[in-house]
């Protein structure tokens, strides 16, 4: 028998946004851990960012396909995901520049750009992954909210 907590967690995980945030959060934790490992091994900050960021980017692309949006992962998705993240970086840099010119507090800039990046990434990744889904399997059939319990 499932407990109430198990049913609530299962219901919560039916939402793409929740799965996206969980996958993204795990990706950020992995990035920090890999950055620390490379740094402790004597790698420069640039090498640490490149290695940790590269591994995290690839893993996030795969996990977002498989778990967040429940579509088959294809190599083309990796290129689109990387382009989306690059676009989110540009948008966040522009927002940070504008907010800084307005005299916004640094912590507020960090939080605003983090939310802006995540929201933009979710919308664009969802659209990209939806477009790559096979034509013979409609999106609704892949979402758990449309499956019977």
């Amino acid at each position: 028998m499932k407990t109430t907590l198990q049913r609530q967690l299962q219901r919560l995980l039916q939402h793409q946004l929740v799965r996206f945030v969980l996958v993204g959060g795990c990706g950020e934790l992995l990035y920090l851990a890999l950055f620390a490992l490379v740094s402790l091994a004597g790698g420069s900050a640039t090498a640490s960012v490149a290695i940790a960021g590269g591994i995290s980017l690839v893993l996030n692309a795969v996990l977002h396909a498989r778990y967040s949006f429940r579509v088959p992962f294809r190599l083309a998705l990796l290129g689109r995901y990387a382009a989306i993240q690059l676009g989110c970086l540009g948008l966040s840099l522009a927002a940070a520049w504008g907010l800084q010119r307005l005299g916004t507090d640094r912590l507020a800039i960090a939080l605003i750009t983090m939310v802006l990046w995540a929201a933009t990434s979710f919308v664009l990744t969802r659209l990209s992954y939806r477009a790559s889904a096979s034509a013979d399997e409609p999106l609704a059939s892949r979402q758990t909210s449309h499956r019977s319990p």
Side-chain angles (χ1 to χ4, degrees), residues 27-28 30-40 42-58 89 117:
E28 293 299 323
L30 175 67
Y31 170 81
L32 292 172
L34 290 172
F35 182 93
L37 283 173
V38 174
S39 294
L40 289 173
S44 68
T46 305
S48 299
V49 168
I51 292 169
I55 292 171
S56 296
L57 184 118
V58 170
L89 172 62
W117 188 320

